Amino acid sequence: MIKLKNKLVIKVLAFLMLIGLFGYIVYAEHPSKQTSTTQDQQSNVLRGQSYLDDVVKIYVPSTYNIDQPIDNSKYVDQSLEKFSNMFGGATSDDGTGAWIGDNKKLVKEKVTIVYSFTEKLDKNKINEVVAYAKDLRTEMKQSSISIEVNERMYFIE
């Protein structure tokens, strides 16, 4: 009787192990289920925390009159102040922009990206950012100034 009982236990354990292995294989082949679990865990960890849905960026060139290199810190500070007043805070990052010029050669330019995250991005705020970009374009004698709203780039002419 003990041998029969042990064999039954071994068979049940082997069966359960096979079910577990099958479940692992199915789970491993579906990364979307893993992502969902990670997102659920992240949601649980961040539940109740404040967050900001929207981001607005302005690309401050480092040239004046299109191609004359300048120190753009005055314009960066001006943009940081403008965005801080509009959205409650701002950050700047230095970068390099590039494009192919009329002569078919690469043109590179230093640029500073000033950006703010916000929870209240409405038509009035966007209009204010566009008006500021137009003023900056005129003041810096640029053909356009780039702004980005929620991952969409706009060239303000």
Side-chain angles (χ1 to χ4, degrees):
M1 184 82 158
I2 292 176
K3 284 185 179 181
L4 183 59
K5 197 173 187 180
N6 285 342
K7 285 183 181 180
L8 183 59
V9 169
I10 290 172
K11 286 181 182 180
V12 168
L13 287 174
F15 179 72
L16 291 174
M17 288 174 60
L18 281 174
I19 289 174
L21 180 61
F22 178 75
Y24 174 78
I25 291 170
V26 169
Y27 181 79
E29 288 181 358
H30 296 287
S32 63
K33 289 183 181 180
Q34 294 172 344
T35 302
S36 176
T37 301
T38 302
Q39 289 171 346
D40 290 343
Q41 289 169 344
Q42 182 180 13
S43 294
N44 289 336
V45 171
L46 297 175
R47 186 171 287 126
Q49 301 298 314
S50 352
Y51 61 93
L52 304 171
D53 285 325
D54 299 307
V55 64
V56 180
K57 301 177 183 182
I58 189 162
Y59 290 69
V60 181
S62 64
T63 56
Y64 181 80
N65 199 19
I66 301 175
D67 62 355
Q68 298 169 9
I70 61 163
D71 175 5
N72 70 352
S73 58
K74 167 187 164 186
Y75 301 105
V76 170
D77 288 347
Q78 179 181 305
S79 299
L80 284 165
E81 184 173 358
K82 180 71 170 175
F83 274 38
S84 291
N85 284 325
M86 288 177 61
F87 303 112
T91 302
S92 68
D93 281 328
D94 292 329
T96 301
W99 64 94
I100 301 299
D102 294 338
N103 61 1
K104 306 292 184 213
K105 291 187 179 180
L106 183 67
V107 178
K108 292 187 340 181
E109 175 183 1
K110 297 290 181 195
V111 65
T112 303
I113 304 164
V114 174
Y115 62 95
S116 292
F117 287 89
T118 181
E119 63 183 347
K120 295 179 182 174
L121 185 61
D122 57 21
K123 183 179 176 181
N124 293 332
K125 292 286 186 187
I126 292 172
N127 288 340
E128 195 174 343
V129 170
V130 169
Y132 174 69
K134 287 180 178 180
D135 290 345
L136 189 61
R137 180 201 70 213
T138 300
E139 191 174 340
M140 295 185 77
K141 296 187 178 185
Q142 297 289 314
S143 58
S144 69
I145 293 287
S146 300
I147 65 169
E148 186 180 337
V149 178
N150 294 333
E151 299 182 10
R152 289 189 181 211
M153 176 72 75
Y154 300 90
F155 301 99
I156 307 304
E157 298 176 345

